[in-house]
Amino acid sequence: MKKICAAIIIFSLVFFAAPEVLAFESKAVVLNQAPYKTFYPATFDNLVLDFNLIVIRLDEVKAMALKNLGGADYLRQIKYLKLWVDQGEPGFQGMGIDRELGNFSYSSGSDSWYLENLNLKIEDNFRFFVTVETYSLAQKTDTIQMQIPALLDQNQDGIFQAGDLGIFMASGNNGPTDKNLTNANTQVFSTSNIDNMGPKLVFLNLQDGDLINDSQFLIKGKVRDQGNNNLNLFQIIINDQEFDIIDYNLNTYDWQYRWQIPADGDYVLRLKAYDSLGNLGQSGPINIKVEKQFFSLENSEIEIDKTTILNTGLDPAKITILLKDIDSQPLAGRQIECLGENAIISKSGEKTGSDGSLVCEIRSTRAGIRKIEVKLGDNVLKTFSINVLDRRLAEAGINFGDLIKASGPAVYYYGADAKRYVFPAAKVYFSWYKDFSQVKTISDENLALIGIGGNATYRPGIKLIKITTDPKVYAVSQGGVLRWLESEELARGIFGDNWAVLVEDVADAFFTNYIEGEPIRQLSDYDPEQEKENSQTIDQDKGLL
């Protein structure tokens, strides 16, 4: 396997205490020369810069603009230049371990690489890394030599704009002010097409020494091939037993494996994979201890702080999970998933803390009712319905399930999908409501915010319907399903001797709102009371909840 090492530049930035000094000089930087190294096509996590940023008070990194004095550029060799901050074990580990802050953009005007809007708060000593990801089809060998340029603030306002150079802080303590800091050695980008590098494999939610107290665990991680080839074989090895991992995504590099744990004890886990060229990649081993506790739903607590939020994406509902075992002791290290469509969910897939707790936050930018499931393994512990309201409609006092109208006479049902449903005739309306006392009036502008979802249909179990051009009489079931009553005797047996007064005509134009279902052939085929129970609201009738 080719050894891909990286150019390393180590320096420290020391910010002096005097508040009037809003810049740092090169004497605050200790630069160690990085050795010569070689990078190859379609490879990533190639380290080219490594530095500690030391501050004496809380500050915030806003932007960085660096230069490459070598000939390699973003159109031919450099696909991405990435910035990271150290996370996990000390030193650069890259994908899945260190925290990725973003990709630099290239400025042709200043021939520099810049990354802005970092907004990264730092104190004491933070360690940063810069890496190169290379193109796969580069045809020219060239060099990389990173430089921290002397500060260039074109507007002299202390705020970074494209074309500026150096490191910019929220405090304005930017630099270096007096000279460039250049690595003496170069790194070479080689066009060699000999690929003998295997995939890189990472555990995301397990680390050496972790404790699991469950009978199953969803292991997650990252896998990506150096050389950008497909995977031929991907396995997790648990105490020397090999198990295939088939659930992985070559676009996002994510993988997962549900570990069914046979017994308590000590386990050693590692990963291995072969790419399509037969190159082997392996992870280091991690030691995991399993001590099971038996979960008790009765003793656990799962609560939500509110069930109505705004669709701004900034108004979270918080689900607090407190897991306990059959002895009411906290269950630590249990993996909880909070799942729902069209929702932004934080902390899902993470493990409960030492006190057995985890808090998931639910946000959304789309109006409607969101079903959120809280799961432990394959078991659904609790389901919540969260109303996500349009801010303007919320201010007007409108919620899902309301009857609404504007300046015109038409009345609509505001559904759980954030759409309004039309009553095509007064008779349909009165199958659901006895009067108009619940109708809320809103502005024409607010009504226009709500799209049409369709027509409401008769409430099941209330009326019988027919069309003028067909003598068949139908009962209505949930979802606008029509059930033909095959005989008058069945109609009388189900709806009573006065069944005929329940029959109402539906215009041919609206008959397409319904779906024809199975005929009613015996008394047990249709229960009006059960039908009414199943469709207490239009949301329920249309399956919007």
Side-chain angles (χ1 to χ4, degrees):
M1 179 181 294
K2 290 178 182 173
K3 187 176 181 182
I4 302 295
C5 296
I8 302 176
I9 303 173
I10 303 176
F11 61 89
S12 300
L13 304 183
V14 180
F15 297 92
F16 299 101
E20 67 274 10
V21 178
L22 293 179
F24 64 85
E25 297 180 351
S26 60
K27 64 183 180 182
V29 177
V30 178
L31 183 63
N32 296 319
Q33 304 306 327
Y36 170 94
K37 296 296 175 184
T38 301
F39 304 145
Y40 297 91
T43 58
F44 59 95
D45 283 0
N46 297 308
L47 186 64
V48 294
L49 195 62
D50 178 345
F51 62 93
N52 285 75
L53 191 57
I54 303 170
V55 296
I56 60 175
R57 64 174 65 88
L58 181 66
D59 208 335
E60 191 172 295
V61 181
K62 302 297 287 186
M64 292 186 188
L66 310 175
K67 276 182 170 288
N68 171 33
L69 302 187
D73 63 39
Y74 83 105
L75 291 175
R76 297 179 179 85
Q77 293 90 10
I78 301 175
K79 186 175 183 179
Y80 298 116
L81 199 69
K82 292 180 180 288
L83 181 66
W84 311 72
V85 68
D86 196 14
Q87 194 164 279
E89 293 295 321
F92 179 69
Q93 297 166 84
M95 180 185 72
I97 305 297
D98 293 311
R99 179 183 170 191
E100 184 178 339
L101 298 179
N103 293 332
F104 287 83
S105 298
Y106 179 71
S107 170
S108 58
S110 59
D111 189 26
S112 64
W113 295 83
Y114 67 92
L115 182 56
E116 57 185 331
N117 299 319
L118 285 168
N119 303 324
L120 179 69
K121 288 182 170 58
I122 65 169
E123 56 184 339
D124 298 328
N125 186 341
F126 266 46
R127 188 173 182 180
F128 293 85
F129 309 107
V130 177
T131 62
V132 165
E133 182 173 333
T134 59
Y135 275 111
S136 58
L137 299 175
Q139 299 178 351
K140 179 185 176 185
T141 296
D142 227 317
T143 58
I144 299 172
Q145 185 179 28
M146 297 306 298
Q147 179 190 81
I148 306 162
L151 180 67
L152 174 62
D153 183 0
Q154 298 175 104
N155 292 342
Q156 297 185 347
D157 57 2
I159 301 172
F160 177 81
Q161 287 96 25
D164 290 346
L165 300 173
I167 299 175
F168 287 75
M169 309 294 292
S171 65
N173 197 14
N174 309 326
T177 58
D178 55 336
K179 66 178 182 180
N180 302 321
L181 299 169
T182 306
N183 188 56
N185 300 312
T186 60
Q187 297 79 48
V188 174
F189 174 84
S190 171
T191 59
S192 171
N193 59 4
I194 300 174
D195 177 8
N196 57 7
M197 301 172 63
K200 184 171 183 176
L201 310 162
V202 175
F203 290 101
L204 283 184
N205 61 343
L206 280 179
Q207 58 186 3
D208 193 56
D210 273 357
L211 171 68
I212 296 176
N213 49 20
D214 203 350
S215 59
Q216 60 177 325
F217 188 82
L218 185 63
I219 305 173
K220 296 183 178 182
K222 293 278 188 182
V223 57
R224 186 181 181 188
D225 184 52
Q226 293 281 17
N228 200 32
N229 295 299
N230 291 326
L231 299 184
N232 255 4
L233 178 68
F234 183 21
Q235 293 181 320
I236 185 169
I237 303 168
I238 304 174
N239 284 359
D240 296 326
Q241 286 188 285
E242 297 178 343
F243 302 92
D244 290 344
I245 298 175
I246 59 175
D247 189 356
Y248 59 85
N249 188 316
L250 291 178
N251 294 317
T252 64
Y253 317 121
D254 294 307
W255 64 266
Q256 61 182 25
Y257 176 81
R258 188 169 293 282
W259 181 20
Q260 303 292 341
I261 306 174
D264 288 3
D266 296 321
Y267 292 85
V268 179
L269 280 62
R270 57 189 177 90
L271 302 166
K272 76 172 184 180
Y274 291 92
D275 67 16
S276 57
L277 298 180
N279 298 313
L280 172 65
Q282 300 185 81
S283 74
I286 58 173
N287 296 280
I288 304 298
K289 189 175 187 63
V290 177
E291 292 180 354
K292 296 176 189 172
Q293 290 175 274
F294 293 99
F295 166 70
S296 168
L297 181 58
E298 181 180 357
N299 293 338
S300 299
E301 300 173 21
I302 306 168
E303 304 293 341
I304 191 168
D305 66 338
K306 57 184 178 181
T307 55
T308 299
I309 61 176
L310 300 180
N311 68 338
T312 59
L314 302 173
D315 182 24
K318 295 182 180 180
I319 298 176
T320 301
I321 302 110
L322 181 60
L323 297 188
K324 294 184 179 180
D325 65 11
I326 57 176
D327 298 317
S328 295
Q329 296 302 306
L331 277 174
R334 291 295 178 98
Q335 193 172 24
I336 296 292
E337 292 183 292
C338 296
L339 305 174
E341 294 184 356
N342 298 319
I344 304 164
I345 304 176
S346 68
K347 303 293 186 180
S348 180
E350 295 194 8
K351 292 179 283 188
T352 53
S354 59
D355 61 352
S357 70
L358 181 72
V359 178
C360 292
E361 292 191 351
I362 316 298
R363 297 175 173 83
S364 183
T365 57
R366 293 179 59 180
I369 293 182
R370 303 286 170 259
K371 288 284 190 181
I372 306 297
E373 289 185 341
V374 180
K375 297 184 69 176
L376 175 63
D378 293 327
N379 300 315
V380 177
L381 305 184
K382 200 163 186 177
T383 301
F384 294 99
S385 292
I386 299 178
N387 296 343
V388 184
L389 299 179
D390 183 283
R391 176 183 56 80
R392 293 159 293 186
L393 296 176
E395 291 172 352
I398 303 303
N399 206 340
F400 304 115
D402 285 346
L403 293 169
I404 57 174
K405 68 179 292 293
S407 60
V411 174
Y412 305 92
Y413 179 84
Y414 185 33
D417 57 353
K419 295 181 180 180
R420 52 186 159 122
Y421 287 84
V422 179
F423 294 99
K427 292 182 290 185
V428 176
Y429 178 90
F430 286 114
S431 73
W432 290 97
Y433 304 97
K434 63 181 181 180
D435 54 36
F436 296 100
S437 61
Q438 300 178 55
V439 178
K440 296 180 179 180
T441 300
I442 61 176
S443 68
D444 291 342
E445 292 77 13
N446 281 339
L447 184 66
L449 296 173
I450 309 171
I452 297 291
N455 286 341
T457 52
Y458 275 91
R459 183 181 178 187
I462 301 294
K463 296 289 184 178
L464 299 171
I465 68 172
K466 63 181 290 295
I467 56 174
T468 55
T469 55
D470 188 341
K472 286 184 178 179
V473 174
Y474 298 89
V476 182
S477 285
Q478 186 176 24
V481 174
L482 298 183
R483 310 281 304 279
W484 174 41
L485 286 155
E486 288 193 339
S487 69
E488 183 176 331
E489 289 74 19
L490 282 172
R492 183 178 294 107
I494 295 172
F495 292 95
D497 292 338
N498 294 323
W499 66 271
V501 301
L502 300 176
V503 179
E504 294 185 350
D505 284 325
V506 173
D508 290 4
F510 297 125
F511 204 68
T512 55
N513 294 330
Y514 298 86
I515 302 169
E516 192 160 355
E518 290 294 318
I520 298 172
R521 295 188 172 94
Q522 54 190 8
L523 294 177
S524 60
D525 285 347
Y526 190 90
D527 181 350
E529 294 305 316
Q530 187 60 53
E531 293 289 344
K532 286 187 281 187
E533 179 69 22
N534 293 342
S535 296
Q536 297 183 49
T537 67
I538 293 173
D539 280 332
Q540 289 178 321
D541 186 50
K542 292 189 172 295
L544 301 179
L545 294 176

